Amino acid sequence: MAYDIATIPGDGIGVEVVEAARPLLELSADDAGCAIEWTEYDWGTERYLETGGMMPEDGLDRLADHDAILLGAVGHPDVPDHVTLRGLMLPIRKTFDQQICKRPAVLYEGVESPLRGYDSESDDGDIDFVVFRENTEGEYADVGGRAHVGFDHEVAVQSAVYTRTGTEAIVRAAFEEAKRREQRVTNVTKSNAQAYGMVMWDEIVEEVAAEFPNVTVDRLLVDAASMDLIRRPDEFDVIVASNLFGDILTDIGAIVTGSMGLAPSANINREGAYPSMFEPVHGSAPDIEGEGVANPLATVLSGAMLFEHLDERDAADSLHRAVEEQLADPEAPRTPDLGGHGTTADVITDLRDRL
Ligand code: NAD
Ligand code: IPM
Ligand code: MN
């Protein structure tokens, strides 16, 4: 089986980590008896600065027929983020109806959490949860506008939009995942202050929960959830959250499990009508761009999620195994975000040997 995968390396370290990860994905595919055919799209802010478009007019059409998309990151210090992200990454999530954003947070053996008492060697300090983030609407619905621009009475309206179908889809996906895990869902909400959207959200969680009698469900307000992800991260299993809340909580998830450079992500189109997209949680990290020290593991693990999505379990497992082995090996190279002195290339070469 040969898969037709689009890559959009994008900007900054996005380019570095995608280039680094690609040969490893090819190798693990090969070992598993399948193959990857890449189509690379050099879209991003360089293109925007040259042509005025982050991607060509027909960019989404060109992506639509691929089996999946591997994205690096988008964002450049010279162009405002709302221009670059709304010109490339956000339209892909929305147009391809990638409603389900799945973001695991795992404290691997050999990795140190910045939290006291949390290391992967002690049983009760084990962090392993997954955030199901609604991915195409909510606070990111892009509904609103500005009026009286430049005047004292200037006004900006940014509306959050929650549909019943969109909310049900993410909540059901979270409960289905909980059935495969420890049967616990935490609903992260803000229905104490947001009496329309978040109250409907909570009602839908209750309705869906009734279909899963063996799954226990807790409700946490997002402010308290942010605290508890620092105070007791080991107690979470599956978290379901709106688009913005999920965005924020997954950066917390990344850092309590060691680094932004380790956190993978899947943007899933449930029906398979359009390709799903896999990308690290982190951004283009202009502060370390060009230094050759970006941690490629979040992208490699996103590649493993891509293989899982394609039902290529062996390829996914071999990538996971290689990453786990590397992190557990005190002699193995690691990048500075994990306290090491290694480069992106050192980490990849070591992984290649393990594969
Ligand atoms: P960021 O994730 O790029 O960086 C935050 C911090 O984490 C920085 O200190 C960075 O050096 C570090 N970091 C991130 N990834 C790393 C890696 N792989 N290895 C080692 N260290 C890593 O977030 P930011 O600085 O807020 O955003 C930078 C740009 O990226 C902005 O333009 C933002 O809009 C964009 N962004 C894009 C995406 C995406 O395309 N999916 C995601 C997040 C941010
Ligand atoms: C992420 C990013 C994006 C998001 C930004 C770049 C729009 O932070 O994927 O986590 O908020 O979804
Ligand atoms: Mn984010």
Side-chain angles (χ1 to χ4, degrees):
M1 183 78 189
Y3 296 101
D4 167 22
I5 310 293
T7 57
I8 309 173
D11 297 327
I13 67 162
V15 179
E16 301 170 29
V17 292
V18 166
E19 264 173 23
R22 266 171 52 162
L24 285 179
L25 270 61
E26 282 166 23
L27 200 59
S28 61
D30 196 41
D31 284 348
C34 60
I36 298 185
E37 281 160 16
W38 302 103
T39 308
E40 181 169 329
Y41 295 100
D42 60 347
W43 303 342
T45 307
E46 299 286 326
R47 187 185 189 284
Y48 175 85
L49 291 169
E50 279 161 28
T51 69
M54 291 292 290
M55 61 176 155
E57 298 270 325
D58 65 348
L60 293 170
D61 292 337
R62 288 164 67 178
L63 290 176
D65 289 330
H66 291 283
D67 292 320
I69 303 165
L70 180 70
L71 179 101
V74 178
H76 191 289
D78 294 348
V79 182
D81 281 339
H82 70 272
V83 174
T84 54
L85 273 312
R86 277 161 92 240
L88 182 51
M89 191 268 276
L90 294 172
I92 298 175
R93 289 185 188 165
K94 289 179 187 177
T95 310
F96 293 158
D97 206 17
Q98 295 168 348
Q99 288 180 313
I100 311 299
C101 180
K102 179 178 174 182
R103 296 185 160 184
V106 178
L107 181 59
Y108 288 103
E109 194 190 327
V111 176
E112 221 177 294
S113 169
L115 300 178
R116 184 159 33 90
Y118 286 91
D119 63 67
S120 49
E121 271 89 73
S122 75
D123 284 346
D124 41 332
D126 214 8
I127 309 175
D128 183 350
F129 63 85
V130 58
V131 176
F132 275 69
R133 166 188 182 189
E134 194 289 311
N135 210 34
T136 62
E137 51 179 48
E139 308 87 341
Y140 285 44
D142 217 12
V143 171
R146 289 171 67 172
H148 313 304
V149 176
F151 292 94
D152 284 349
H153 56 300
E154 180 168 357
V155 57
V157 175
Q158 183 96 45
S159 297
V161 174
Y162 302 89
T163 64
R164 179 164 276 277
T165 48
T167 308
E168 266 180 30
I170 190 66
V171 171
R172 187 160 284 115
F175 276 85
E176 278 162 4
E177 182 76 5
K179 264 177 79 172
R180 293 187 286 268
R181 294 175 51 108
E182 289 174 23
Q183 318 262 350
R184 285 185 289 118
V185 169
T186 304
N187 169 27
V188 171
T189 183
K190 191 65 193 174
S191 46
N192 55 350
Q194 304 202 309
Y196 311 118
M198 282 290 127
V199 169
M200 185 181 82
W201 173 284
D202 288 354
E203 286 169 9
I204 290 171
V205 171
E206 300 275 302
E207 287 165 27
V208 173
E211 297 169 26
F212 295 83
N214 296 327
V215 177
T216 53
V217 50
D218 294 319
R219 187 160 81 185
L220 272 184
L221 298 165
V222 65
D223 41 358
S226 307
M227 177 187 68
D228 276 347
L229 280 173
I230 309 282
R231 180 171 63 166
R232 51 173 190 93
D234 52 310
E235 291 176 32
F236 290 90
D237 183 25
V238 178
I239 293 173
V240 64
S242 69
N243 209 334
L244 180 61
F245 296 169
D247 175 45
I248 297 166
L249 296 182
T250 51
D251 265 36
I252 300 179
I255 201 62
V256 299
T257 52
S259 172
M260 284 308 293
L262 283 178
S265 157
N267 306 275
I268 297 184
N269 171 270
R270 294 257 277 182
E271 283 77 36
Y274 299 103
S276 295
M277 178 163 70
F278 300 82
E279 54 172 326
V281 171
H282 66 74
S284 53
D287 56 336
I288 57 166
E289 177 187 355
E291 291 174 17
V293 296
N295 190 339
L297 293 180
T299 308
V300 172
L301 291 169
S302 301
M305 294 184 85
L306 184 154
F307 283 127
E308 270 161 35
H309 178 73
L310 297 173
D311 220 16
E312 293 291 348
R313 285 240 53 109
D314 289 349
D317 288 349
S318 65
L319 284 176
H320 263 134
R321 235 185 349 262
V323 170
E324 276 168 26
E325 244 185 49
Q326 181 184 71
L327 290 170
D329 180 353
E331 305 298 318
R334 45 178 74 202
T335 44
D337 57 305
L338 292 176
H341 303 284
T343 63
T344 310
D346 295 336
V347 169
I348 293 291
T349 305
D350 177 83
L351 276 182
R352 182 185 269 274
D353 293 343
R354 291 173 198 274
L355 272 177

